[in-house]
PDB file of all heavy atoms in Angstrom:
ATOM      1  N   ILE B  19      -3.031-153.427  -7.354  1.00 92.00           N
ATOM      2  CA  ILE B  19      -2.889-154.522  -8.314  1.00 92.00           C
ATOM      3  C   ILE B  19      -4.171-155.358  -8.357  1.00 92.00           C
ATOM      4  O   ILE B  19      -4.684-155.700  -9.434  1.00 92.00           O
ATOM      5  CB  ILE B  19      -1.658-155.391  -7.970  1.00 92.00           C
ATOM      6  CG1 ILE B  19      -0.377-154.584  -8.229  1.00 92.00           C
ATOM      7  CG2 ILE B  19      -1.645-156.677  -8.806  1.00 92.00           C
ATOM      8  CD1 ILE B  19       0.875-155.232  -7.691  1.00 92.00           C
ATOM      9  N   ALA B  20      -4.725-155.664  -7.162  1.00 93.00           N
ATOM     10  CA  ALA B  20      -5.975-156.438  -7.106  1.00 93.00           C
ATOM     11  C   ALA B  20      -7.088-155.698  -7.842  1.00 93.00           C
ATOM     12  O   ALA B  20      -7.847-156.299  -8.625  1.00 93.00           O
ATOM     13  CB  ALA B  20      -6.361-156.684  -5.649  1.00 93.00           C
ATOM     14  N   ALA B  21      -7.177-154.399  -7.622  1.00 92.00           N
ATOM     15  CA  ALA B  21      -8.202-153.603  -8.297  1.00 92.00           C
ATOM     16  C   ALA B  21      -8.008-153.634  -9.805  1.00 92.00           C
ATOM     17  O   ALA B  21      -8.960-153.761 -10.573  1.00 92.00           O
ATOM     18  CB  ALA B  21      -8.159-152.167  -7.784  1.00 92.00           C
ATOM     19  N   LEU B  22      -6.723-153.541 -10.234  1.00 92.00           N
ATOM     20  CA  LEU B  22      -6.435-153.563 -11.671  1.00 92.00           C
ATOM     21  C   LEU B  22      -6.825-154.904 -12.287  1.00 92.00           C
ATOM     22  O   LEU B  22      -7.373-154.954 -13.383  1.00 92.00           O
ATOM     23  CB  LEU B  22      -4.947-153.269 -11.918  1.00 92.00           C
ATOM     24  CG  LEU B  22      -4.528-151.803 -11.773  1.00 92.00           C
ATOM     25  CD1 LEU B  22      -3.011-151.682 -11.884  1.00 92.00           C
ATOM     26  CD2 LEU B  22      -5.197-150.935 -12.837  1.00 92.00           C
ATOM     27  N   VAL B  23      -6.525-155.991 -11.561  1.00 91.00           N
ATOM     28  CA  VAL B  23      -6.886-157.315 -12.064  1.00 91.00           C
ATOM     29  C   VAL B  23      -8.405-157.425 -12.204  1.00 91.00           C
ATOM     30  O   VAL B  23      -8.930-158.015 -13.153  1.00 91.00           O
ATOM     31  CB  VAL B  23      -6.346-158.432 -11.126  1.00 91.00           C
ATOM     32  CG1 VAL B  23      -6.894-159.800 -11.530  1.00 91.00           C
ATOM     33  CG2 VAL B  23      -4.820-158.446 -11.146  1.00 91.00           C
ATOM     34  N   ALA B  24      -9.121-156.799 -11.264  1.00 89.00           N
ATOM     35  CA  ALA B  24     -10.579-156.949 -11.225  1.00 89.00           C
ATOM     36  C   ALA B  24     -11.323-156.015 -12.190  1.00 89.00           C
ATOM     37  O   ALA B  24     -12.539-156.147 -12.345  1.00 89.00           O
ATOM     38  CB  ALA B  24     -11.067-156.707  -9.796  1.00 89.00           C
ATOM     39  N   VAL B  25     -10.592-155.104 -12.837  1.00 88.00           N
ATOM     40  CA  VAL B  25     -11.246-154.102 -13.687  1.00 88.00           C
ATOM     41  C   VAL B  25     -12.301-154.683 -14.637  1.00 88.00           C
ATOM     42  O   VAL B  25     -13.430-154.193 -14.684  1.00 88.00           O
ATOM     43  CB  VAL B  25     -10.204-153.257 -14.463  1.00 88.00           C
ATOM     44  CG1 VAL B  25     -10.814-152.561 -15.676  1.00 88.00           C
ATOM     45  CG2 VAL B  25      -9.589-152.214 -13.532  1.00 88.00           C
ATOM     46  N   PRO B  26     -12.003-155.781 -15.395  1.00 89.00           N
ATOM     47  CA  PRO B  26     -13.003-156.278 -16.357  1.00 89.00           C
ATOM     48  C   PRO B  26     -14.297-156.754 -15.695  1.00 89.00           C
ATOM     49  O   PRO B  26     -15.338-156.802 -16.347  1.00 89.00           O
ATOM     50  CB  PRO B  26     -12.287-157.453 -17.034  1.00 89.00           C
ATOM     51  CG  PRO B  26     -10.842-157.183 -16.832  1.00 89.00           C
ATOM     52  CD  PRO B  26     -10.737-156.503 -15.505  1.00 89.00           C
ATOM     53  N   TRP B  27     -14.233-157.123 -14.399  1.00 91.00           N
ATOM     54  CA  TRP B  27     -15.448-157.610 -13.741  1.00 91.00           C
ATOM     55  C   TRP B  27     -16.242-156.494 -13.074  1.00 91.00           C
ATOM     56  O   TRP B  27     -17.396-156.660 -12.737  1.00 91.00           O
ATOM     57  CB  TRP B  27     -15.099-158.683 -12.699  1.00 91.00           C
ATOM     58  CG  TRP B  27     -14.503-159.892 -13.365  1.00 91.00           C
ATOM     59  CD1 TRP B  27     -15.144-160.730 -14.224  1.00 91.00           C
ATOM     60  CD2 TRP B  27     -13.175-160.360 -13.261  1.00 91.00           C
ATOM     61  NE1 TRP B  27     -14.287-161.705 -14.665  1.00 91.00           N
ATOM     62  CE2 TRP B  27     -13.061-161.500 -14.088  1.00 91.00           C
ATOM     63  CE3 TRP B  27     -12.034-159.924 -12.550  1.00 91.00           C
ATOM     64  CZ2 TRP B  27     -11.878-162.208 -14.242  1.00 91.00           C
ATOM     65  CZ3 TRP B  27     -10.863-160.635 -12.681  1.00 91.00           C
ATOM     66  CH2 TRP B  27     -10.777-161.774 -13.525  1.00 91.00           C
ATOM     67  N   ILE B  28     -15.592-155.361 -12.848  1.00 90.00           N
ATOM     68  CA  ILE B  28     -16.306-154.285 -12.153  1.00 90.00           C
ATOM     69  C   ILE B  28     -16.561-153.072 -13.046  1.00 90.00           C
ATOM     70  O   ILE B  28     -17.306-152.181 -12.672  1.00 90.00           O
ATOM     71  CB  ILE B  28     -15.552-153.830 -10.874  1.00 90.00           C
ATOM     72  CG1 ILE B  28     -14.108-153.444 -11.210  1.00 90.00           C
ATOM     73  CG2 ILE B  28     -15.581-154.913  -9.799  1.00 90.00           C
ATOM     74  CD1 ILE B  28     -13.313-152.989 -10.008  1.00 90.00           C
ATOM     75  N   ALA B  29     -15.952-153.059 -14.233  1.00 88.00           N
ATOM     76  CA  ALA B  29     -16.142-151.893 -15.085  1.00 88.00           C
ATOM     77  C   ALA B  29     -16.625-152.322 -16.469  1.00 88.00           C
ATOM     78  O   ALA B  29     -16.518-153.487 -16.849  1.00 88.00           O
ATOM     79  CB  ALA B  29     -14.831-151.118 -15.202  1.00 88.00           C
ATOM     80  N   SER B  30     -17.150-151.347 -17.208  1.00 89.00           N
ATOM     81  CA  SER B  30     -17.645-151.628 -18.544  1.00 89.00           C
ATOM     82  C   SER B  30     -16.475-151.858 -19.509  1.00 89.00           C
ATOM     83  O   SER B  30     -15.332-151.540 -19.194  1.00 89.00           O
ATOM     84  CB  SER B  30     -18.485-150.457 -19.041  1.00 89.00           C
ATOM     85  OG  SER B  30     -17.659-149.314 -19.152  1.00 89.00           O
ATOM     86  N   TYR B  31     -16.799-152.407 -20.685  1.00 89.00           N
ATOM     87  CA  TYR B  31     -15.776-152.606 -21.704  1.00 89.00           C
ATOM     88  C   TYR B  31     -15.068-151.305 -22.038  1.00 89.00           C
ATOM     89  O   TYR B  31     -13.872-151.282 -22.298  1.00 89.00           O
ATOM     90  CB  TYR B  31     -16.410-153.198 -22.973  1.00 89.00           C
ATOM     91  CG  TYR B  31     -16.400-154.714 -22.995  1.00 89.00           C
ATOM     92  CD1 TYR B  31     -17.030-155.424 -24.021  1.00 89.00           C
ATOM     93  CD2 TYR B  31     -15.734-155.440 -22.009  1.00 89.00           C
ATOM     94  CE1 TYR B  31     -17.015-156.805 -24.054  1.00 89.00           C
ATOM     95  CE2 TYR B  31     -15.719-156.822 -22.036  1.00 89.00           C
ATOM     96  CZ  TYR B  31     -16.360-157.507 -23.053  1.00 89.00           C
ATOM     97  OH  TYR B  31     -16.335-158.868 -23.098  1.00 89.00           O
ATOM     98  N   PHE B  32     -15.843-150.224 -22.009  1.00 91.00           N
ATOM     99  CA  PHE B  32     -15.254-148.915 -22.308  1.00 91.00           C
ATOM    100  C   PHE B  32     -14.059-148.659 -21.402  1.00 91.00           C
ATOM    101  O   PHE B  32     -12.980-148.261 -21.851  1.00 91.00           O
ATOM    102  CB  PHE B  32     -16.318-147.824 -22.126  1.00 91.00           C
ATOM    103  CG  PHE B  32     -15.791-146.445 -22.401  1.00 91.00           C
ATOM    104  CD1 PHE B  32     -15.495-146.037 -23.689  1.00 91.00           C
ATOM    105  CD2 PHE B  32     -15.592-145.542 -21.355  1.00 91.00           C
ATOM    106  CE1 PHE B  32     -15.014-144.764 -23.943  1.00 91.00           C
ATOM    107  CE2 PHE B  32     -15.111-144.278 -21.602  1.00 91.00           C
ATOM    108  CZ  PHE B  32     -14.827-143.883 -22.892  1.00 91.00           C
ATOM    109  N   TYR B  33     -14.231-148.911 -20.105  1.00 93.00           N
ATOM    110  CA  TYR B  33     -13.135-148.655 -19.177  1.00 93.00           C
ATOM    111  C   TYR B  33     -12.041-149.720 -19.228  1.00 93.00           C
ATOM    112  O   TYR B  33     -10.896-149.456 -18.864  1.00 93.00           O
ATOM    113  CB  TYR B  33     -13.654-148.451 -17.756  1.00 93.00           C
ATOM    114  CG  TYR B  33     -14.136-147.028 -17.590  1.00 93.00           C
ATOM    115  CD1 TYR B  33     -15.484-146.709 -17.671  1.00 93.00           C
ATOM    116  CD2 TYR B  33     -13.202-146.001 -17.430  1.00 93.00           C
ATOM    117  CE1 TYR B  33     -15.901-145.402 -17.582  1.00 93.00           C
ATOM    118  CE2 TYR B  33     -13.616-144.682 -17.336  1.00 93.00           C
ATOM    119  CZ  TYR B  33     -14.970-144.391 -17.414  1.00 93.00           C
ATOM    120  OH  TYR B  33     -15.368-143.089 -17.336  1.00 93.00           O
ATOM    121  N   VAL B  34     -12.403-150.917 -19.717  1.00 93.00           N
ATOM    122  CA  VAL B  34     -11.350-151.912 -19.954  1.00 93.00           C
ATOM    123  C   VAL B  34     -10.393-151.393 -21.032  1.00 93.00           C
ATOM    124  O   VAL B  34      -9.168-151.472 -20.896  1.00 93.00           O
ATOM    125  CB  VAL B  34     -11.959-153.267 -20.375  1.00 93.00           C
ATOM    126  CG1 VAL B  34     -10.855-154.244 -20.795  1.00 93.00           C
ATOM    127  CG2 VAL B  34     -12.773-153.859 -19.236  1.00 93.00           C
ATOM    128  N   PHE B  35     -10.953-150.785 -22.067  1.00 94.00           N
ATOM    129  CA  PHE B  35     -10.110-150.170 -23.107  1.00 94.00           C
ATOM    130  C   PHE B  35      -9.274-149.039 -22.523  1.00 94.00           C
ATOM    131  O   PHE B  35      -8.071-148.923 -22.775  1.00 94.00           O
ATOM    132  CB  PHE B  35     -10.979-149.631 -24.254  1.00 94.00           C
ATOM    133  CG  PHE B  35     -11.417-150.706 -25.209  1.00 94.00           C
ATOM    134  CD1 PHE B  35     -12.770-150.973 -25.408  1.00 94.00           C
ATOM    135  CD2 PHE B  35     -10.478-151.443 -25.914  1.00 94.00           C
ATOM    136  CE1 PHE B  35     -13.173-151.962 -26.296  1.00 94.00           C
ATOM    137  CE2 PHE B  35     -10.873-152.433 -26.808  1.00 94.00           C
ATOM    138  CZ  PHE B  35     -12.228-152.692 -26.990  1.00 94.00           C
ATOM    139  N   ILE B  36      -9.935-148.199 -21.741  1.00 94.00           N
ATOM    140  CA  ILE B  36      -9.235-147.053 -21.140  1.00 94.00           C
ATOM    141  C   ILE B  36      -8.052-147.535 -20.292  1.00 94.00           C
ATOM    142  O   ILE B  36      -6.941-147.021 -20.388  1.00 94.00           O
ATOM    143  CB  ILE B  36     -10.200-146.224 -20.261  1.00 94.00           C
ATOM    144  CG1 ILE B  36     -11.306-145.618 -21.112  1.00 94.00           C
ATOM    145  CG2 ILE B  36      -9.447-145.155 -19.482  1.00 94.00           C
ATOM    146  CD1 ILE B  36     -10.868-144.485 -21.986  1.00 94.00           C
ATOM    147  N   PHE B  37      -8.307-148.566 -19.473  1.00 96.00           N
ATOM    148  CA  PHE B  37      -7.233-149.036 -18.594  1.00 96.00           C
ATOM    149  C   PHE B  37      -6.133-149.749 -19.359  1.00 96.00           C
ATOM    150  O   PHE B  37      -4.962-149.705 -18.968  1.00 96.00           O
ATOM    151  CB  PHE B  37      -7.810-149.917 -17.471  1.00 96.00           C
ATOM    152  CG  PHE B  37      -8.231-149.103 -16.281  1.00 96.00           C
ATOM    153  CD1 PHE B  37      -9.506-148.548 -16.218  1.00 96.00           C
ATOM    154  CD2 PHE B  37      -7.341-148.843 -15.257  1.00 96.00           C
ATOM    155  CE1 PHE B  37      -9.885-147.763 -15.139  1.00 96.00           C
ATOM    156  CE2 PHE B  37      -7.714-148.059 -14.172  1.00 96.00           C
ATOM    157  CZ  PHE B  37      -8.985-147.512 -14.112  1.00 96.00           C
ATOM    158  N   THR B  38      -6.482-150.410 -20.455  1.00 95.00           N
ATOM    159  CA  THR B  38      -5.434-151.003 -21.296  1.00 95.00           C
ATOM    160  C   THR B  38      -4.510-149.895 -21.811  1.00 95.00           C
ATOM    161  O   THR B  38      -3.280-150.012 -21.751  1.00 95.00           O
ATOM    162  CB  THR B  38      -6.056-151.752 -22.503  1.00 95.00           C
ATOM    163  OG1 THR B  38      -7.076-152.623 -22.013  1.00 95.00           O
ATOM    164  CG2 THR B  38      -5.012-152.562 -23.242  1.00 95.00           C
ATOM    165  N   GLU B  39      -5.125-148.809 -22.250  1.00 95.00           N
ATOM    166  CA  GLU B  39      -4.329-147.693 -22.773  1.00 95.00           C
ATOM    167  C   GLU B  39      -3.468-147.077 -21.667  1.00 95.00           C
ATOM    168  O   GLU B  39      -2.299-146.759 -21.878  1.00 95.00           O
ATOM    169  CB  GLU B  39      -5.261-146.629 -23.386  1.00 95.00           C
ATOM    170  CG  GLU B  39      -4.472-145.570 -24.125  1.00 95.00           C
ATOM    171  CD  GLU B  39      -5.354-144.516 -24.770  1.00 95.00           C
ATOM    172  OE1 GLU B  39      -6.571-144.738 -24.903  1.00 95.00           O
ATOM    173  OE2 GLU B  39      -4.814-143.447 -25.124  1.00 95.00           O
ATOM    174  N   ILE B  40      -4.063-146.928 -20.470  1.00 96.00           N
ATOM    175  CA  ILE B  40      -3.313-146.351 -19.347  1.00 96.00           C
ATOM    176  C   ILE B  40      -2.062-147.182 -19.049  1.00 96.00           C
ATOM    177  O   ILE B  40      -0.972-146.640 -18.851  1.00 96.00           O
ATOM    178  CB  ILE B  40      -4.211-146.260 -18.088  1.00 96.00           C
ATOM    179  CG1 ILE B  40      -5.249-145.142 -18.264  1.00 96.00           C
ATOM    180  CG2 ILE B  40      -3.365-146.013 -16.837  1.00 96.00           C
ATOM    181  CD1 ILE B  40      -6.280-145.093 -17.152  1.00 96.00           C
ATOM    182  N   LEU B  41      -2.231-148.500 -19.047  1.00 97.00           N
ATOM    183  CA  LEU B  41      -1.097-149.379 -18.722  1.00 97.00           C
ATOM    184  C   LEU B  41      -0.005-149.285 -19.780  1.00 97.00           C
ATOM    185  O   LEU B  41       1.185-149.185 -19.463  1.00 97.00           O
ATOM    186  CB  LEU B  41      -1.574-150.831 -18.583  1.00 97.00           C
ATOM    187  CG  LEU B  41      -2.391-151.145 -17.333  1.00 97.00           C
ATOM    188  CD1 LEU B  41      -2.988-152.549 -17.426  1.00 97.00           C
ATOM    189  CD2 LEU B  41      -1.532-151.021 -16.080  1.00 97.00           C
ATOM    190  N   ILE B  42      -0.421-149.333 -21.054  1.00 97.00           N
ATOM    191  CA  ILE B  42       0.582-149.312 -22.131  1.00 97.00           C
ATOM    192  C   ILE B  42       1.310-147.968 -22.155  1.00 97.00           C
ATOM    193  O   ILE B  42       2.541-147.910 -22.208  1.00 97.00           O
ATOM    194  CB  ILE B  42      -0.075-149.598 -23.502  1.00 97.00           C
ATOM    195  CG1 ILE B  42      -0.653-151.017 -23.513  1.00 97.00           C
ATOM    196  CG2 ILE B  42       0.950-149.445 -24.614  1.00 97.00           C
ATOM    197  CD1 ILE B  42      -1.483-151.340 -24.748  1.00 97.00           C
ATOM    198  N   MET B  43       0.517-146.880 -22.089  1.00 97.00           N
ATOM    199  CA  MET B  43       1.148-145.555 -22.097  1.00 97.00           C
ATOM    200  C   MET B  43       1.972-145.351 -20.821  1.00 97.00           C
ATOM    201  O   MET B  43       2.985-144.652 -20.822  1.00 97.00           O
ATOM    202  CB  MET B  43       0.095-144.461 -22.228  1.00 97.00           C
ATOM    203  CG  MET B  43      -0.642-144.445 -23.559  1.00 97.00           C
ATOM    204  SD  MET B  43       0.454-144.500 -25.004  1.00 97.00           S
ATOM    205  CE  MET B  43       1.062-142.799 -25.011  1.00 97.00           C
ATOM    206  N   GLY B  44       1.513-145.970 -19.723  1.00 97.00           N
ATOM    207  CA  GLY B  44       2.265-145.891 -18.466  1.00 97.00           C
ATOM    208  C   GLY B  44       3.632-146.542 -18.587  1.00 97.00           C
ATOM    209  O   GLY B  44       4.641-145.984 -18.144  1.00 97.00           O
ATOM    210  N   LEU B  45       3.686-147.713 -19.228  1.00 97.00           N
ATOM    211  CA  LEU B  45       4.985-148.377 -19.434  1.00 97.00           C
ATOM    212  C   LEU B  45       5.880-147.516 -20.326  1.00 97.00           C
ATOM    213  O   LEU B  45       7.074-147.352 -20.058  1.00 97.00           O
ATOM    214  CB  LEU B  45       4.781-149.761 -20.065  1.00 97.00           C
ATOM    215  CG  LEU B  45       6.071-150.523 -20.413  1.00 97.00           C
ATOM    216  CD1 LEU B  45       6.904-150.791 -19.173  1.00 97.00           C
ATOM    217  CD2 LEU B  45       5.755-151.827 -21.130  1.00 97.00           C
ATOM    218  N   PHE B  46       5.287-146.961 -21.376  1.00 97.00           N
ATOM    219  CA  PHE B  46       6.014-146.056 -22.276  1.00 97.00           C
ATOM    220  C   PHE B  46       6.602-144.894 -21.471  1.00 97.00           C
ATOM    221  O   PHE B  46       7.791-144.553 -21.586  1.00 97.00           O
ATOM    222  CB  PHE B  46       5.021-145.568 -23.342  1.00 97.00           C
ATOM    223  CG  PHE B  46       5.568-144.613 -24.373  1.00 97.00           C
ATOM    224  CD1 PHE B  46       6.889-144.668 -24.780  1.00 97.00           C
ATOM    225  CD2 PHE B  46       4.726-143.672 -24.956  1.00 97.00           C
ATOM    226  CE1 PHE B  46       7.371-143.787 -25.748  1.00 97.00           C
ATOM    227  CE2 PHE B  46       5.191-142.800 -25.925  1.00 97.00           C
ATOM    228  CZ  PHE B  46       6.513-142.848 -26.316  1.00 97.00           C
TER     229      PHE B  46
END
Side-chain angles (χ1 to χ4, degrees):
Chain B
I19 291 169
L22 284 173
V23 172
V25 160
W27 296 294
I28 54 180
S30 64
Y31 269 175
F32 179 72
Y33 278 99
V34 173
F35 280 120
I36 296 287
F37 272 87
T38 310
E39 189 179 345
I40 287 173
L41 288 171
I42 296 172
M43 294 310 284
L45 176 61
F46 180 31

